[in-house]
Amino acid sequence: MARKKAIDLEAYSMLDQYCIGLNEFYKSLRRSGFSVELSLAILLEPATYPATILPTPNWLPALPDRIPYDDDDDED
């Protein structure tokens, strides 16, 4: 088996690093058996990204700690 070339992340901008992470995430979804359509749908939702994608994107909106639901209101 051929050795894979190590990627020096210092040579890439933050956006390049993020895109490399997305590409690897997509390829792992496909290897895991996800369809193309479902893989792309997962990539469209930043809340689904694993914590291992580097760097942490600072241009995505911060996710709330808890999503309020309509039934969370106090019932008096």
Side-chain angles (χ1 to χ4, degrees):
M1 180 176 227
R3 289 186 171 211
K4 291 188 177 187
K5 181 180 176 184
I7 296 175
D8 180 21
L9 293 179
E10 298 299 321
Y12 295 100
S13 70
M14 285 187 69
L15 183 58
D16 291 338
Q17 293 174 31
Y18 183 72
C19 291
I20 290 168
L22 285 180
N23 185 29
E24 292 299 319
F25 185 32
Y26 173 79
K27 290 192 294 188
S28 68
L29 289 169
R30 292 292 295 141
R31 278 193 305 269
S32 299
F34 286 88
S35 67
V36 171
E37 293 81 13
L38 188 55
S39 297
L40 292 175
I42 291 171
L43 284 177
L44 287 175
E45 183 54 49
T48 64
Y49 296 170
T52 57
I53 291 181
L54 295 175
T56 302
N58 59 0
W59 56 86
L60 296 175
L63 298 175
D65 291 337
R66 189 171 90 78
I67 299 172
Y69 293 101
D70 291 337
D71 61 348
D72 283 349
D73 297 336
D74 292 331
E75 295 179 18
D76 292 328

